[in-house]
Coordinates of all heavy atoms in Angstrom, one line a residue:
G15 N -13.8 11.7 -6.2 CA -15.2 11.6 -6.5 C -15.6 10.2 -6.9 O -16.6 9.6 -6.6
E16 N -14.7 9.6 -7.7 CA -14.9 8.2 -8.2 C -14.8 7.2 -7.1 O -15.6 6.2 -7.0 CB -13.9 7.9 -9.4 CG -14.2 6.5 -10.0 CD -15.6 6.4 -10.6 OE1 -16.2 7.3 -10.9 OE2 -16.0 5.2 -10.7
I17 N -13.9 7.4 -6.2 CA -13.7 6.5 -5.1 C -15.0 6.6 -4.2 O -15.6 5.6 -3.8 CB -12.5 6.8 -4.2 CG1 -11.2 6.5 -5.0 CG2 -12.5 6.0 -2.9 CD1 -10.0 7.1 -4.4
Y18 N -15.5 7.8 -4.0 CA -16.7 8.0 -3.2 C -17.9 7.3 -3.9 O -18.7 6.6 -3.3 CB -17.0 9.5 -3.1 CG -18.3 9.8 -2.4 CD1 -18.4 9.9 -1.0 CD2 -19.5 9.9 -3.1 CE1 -19.6 10.2 -0.4 CE2 -20.7 10.2 -2.5 CZ -20.7 10.3 -1.1 OH -21.9 10.5 -0.5
R19 N -18.0 7.5 -5.2 CA -19.1 6.9 -6.0 C -19.2 5.4 -5.8 O -20.2 4.8 -5.6 CB -19.0 7.3 -7.4 CG -20.3 6.9 -8.2 CD -20.1 7.2 -9.7 NE -19.1 6.4 -10.3 CZ -19.3 5.1 -10.6 NH1 -20.4 4.5 -10.4 NH2 -18.3 4.4 -11.2
Q20 N -18.0 4.8 -5.9 CA -17.9 3.3 -5.8 C -18.1 2.8 -4.3 O -18.6 1.7 -4.1 CB -16.5 2.8 -6.3 CG -16.4 3.0 -7.8 CD -15.1 2.5 -8.3 OE1 -14.4 1.8 -7.7 NE2 -14.7 3.0 -9.5
A21 N -17.6 3.6 -3.4 CA -17.7 3.2 -2.0 C -19.1 3.3 -1.3 O -19.4 2.6 -0.4 CB -16.7 4.0 -1.1
F22 N -19.9 4.3 -1.8 CA -21.2 4.6 -1.2 C -22.3 4.5 -2.2 O -23.0 5.5 -2.4 CB -21.1 6.0 -0.5 CG -20.0 6.1 0.5 CD1 -18.9 6.8 0.2 CD2 -20.2 5.4 1.7 CE1 -17.9 6.9 1.2 CE2 -19.2 5.5 2.7 CZ -18.0 6.3 2.4
P23 N -22.5 3.4 -2.9 CA -23.5 3.4 -4.0 C -24.9 3.6 -3.5 O -25.7 4.2 -4.2 CB -23.4 1.9 -4.5 CG -22.7 1.1 -3.5 CD -21.8 2.1 -2.7
E24 N -25.3 3.2 -2.3 CA -26.6 3.4 -1.7 C -26.8 4.9 -1.5 O -27.9 5.5 -1.8 CB -26.8 2.7 -0.4 CG -26.8 1.2 -0.6 CD -25.4 0.6 -0.5 OE1 -24.5 1.3 -0.2 OE2 -25.3 -0.6 -0.7
S25 N -25.9 5.6 -1.0 CA -26.0 7.1 -0.7 C -26.1 7.8 -2.1 O -26.9 8.7 -2.2 CB -24.7 7.5 0.0 OG -24.7 8.9 0.2
V26 N -25.3 7.4 -3.0 CA -25.3 8.1 -4.4 C -26.7 7.8 -5.0 O -27.3 8.8 -5.5 CB -24.2 7.5 -5.3 CG1 -24.4 7.9 -6.7 CG2 -22.8 8.0 -4.7
C27 N -27.2 6.6 -4.9 CA -28.5 6.3 -5.5 C -29.6 7.1 -4.8 O -30.5 7.7 -5.4 CB -28.8 4.8 -5.4 SG -30.3 4.3 -6.3
F28 N -29.5 7.2 -3.5 CA -30.6 7.9 -2.7 C -30.6 9.4 -3.0 O -31.6 10.0 -3.2 CB -30.4 7.7 -1.2 CG -31.4 8.3 -0.4 CD1 -32.7 7.8 -0.2 CD2 -31.1 9.5 0.3 CE1 -33.6 8.4 0.6 CE2 -32.1 10.1 1.1 CZ -33.4 9.6 1.2
F29 N -29.4 10.1 -2.9 CA -29.3 11.5 -3.0 C -29.2 12.0 -4.5 O -29.5 13.2 -4.8 CB -28.1 12.0 -2.2 CG -28.3 12.0 -0.8 CD1 -27.6 11.0 0.0 CD2 -29.2 12.8 -0.1 CE1 -27.8 10.9 1.4 CE2 -29.4 12.8 1.2 CZ -28.7 11.8 2.0
F30 N -28.7 11.2 -5.4 CA -28.5 11.7 -6.8 C -29.2 10.8 -7.8 O -28.7 10.7 -8.9 CB -27.0 11.7 -7.0 CG -26.2 12.5 -6.0 CD1 -25.3 11.8 -5.1 CD2 -26.3 13.9 -5.9 CE1 -24.6 12.6 -4.2 CE2 -25.6 14.6 -5.0 CZ -24.7 13.9 -4.1
A31 N -30.3 10.2 -7.5 CA -30.9 9.3 -8.4 C -31.3 9.9 -9.7 O -31.3 9.2 -10.8 CB -32.2 8.7 -7.7
D32 N -31.6 11.2 -9.7 CA -32.0 11.8 -11.0 C -30.9 12.4 -11.8 O -31.1 13.0 -12.9 CB -33.0 13.0 -10.7 CG -32.4 14.1 -9.8 OD1 -31.4 13.8 -9.1 OD2 -32.9 15.2 -9.8
K33 N -29.6 12.1 -11.4 CA -28.4 12.6 -12.1 C -28.0 11.6 -13.1 O -27.9 10.4 -12.8 CB -27.3 13.0 -11.2 CG -27.6 14.1 -10.2 CD -27.4 15.4 -10.9 CE -27.5 16.5 -9.8 NZ -28.4 17.6 -10.3
S34 N -27.6 12.0 -14.3 CA -26.9 11.1 -15.2 C -25.5 10.8 -14.7 O -25.0 11.5 -13.8 CB -26.8 11.7 -16.6 OG -25.8 12.8 -16.6
S35 N -24.9 9.7 -15.1 CA -23.6 9.3 -14.6 C -22.6 10.4 -14.9 O -21.7 10.7 -14.1 CB -23.2 8.0 -15.1 OG -23.1 8.0 -16.5
V36 N -22.7 11.0 -16.1 CA -21.7 12.1 -16.4 C -21.9 13.3 -15.5 O -20.9 13.8 -15.0 CB -21.9 12.5 -17.9 CG1 -21.1 13.8 -18.2 CG2 -21.5 11.4 -18.8
N37 N -23.2 13.7 -15.3 CA -23.4 14.8 -14.4 C -23.0 14.5 -13.0 O -22.5 15.4 -12.2 CB -24.9 15.3 -14.5 CG -25.2 16.0 -15.8 OD1 -24.3 16.5 -16.5 ND2 -26.5 16.1 -16.1
L38 N -23.3 13.3 -12.5 CA -22.9 12.9 -11.2 C -21.4 13.0 -11.0 O -20.9 13.5 -10.0 CB -23.4 11.5 -10.9 CG -22.9 10.9 -9.5 CD1 -23.4 11.7 -8.4 CD2 -23.4 9.4 -9.4

Side-chain angles (χ1 to χ4, degrees):
E16 184 59 23
I17 294 169
Y18 176 89
R19 190 186 66 76
Q20 291 179 21
F22 302 106
E24 294 87 6
S25 176
V26 168
C27 188
F28 181 79
F29 288 106
F30 308 110
D32 61 336
K33 298 278 185 228
S34 71
S35 61
V36 171
N37 287 343
L38 173 62

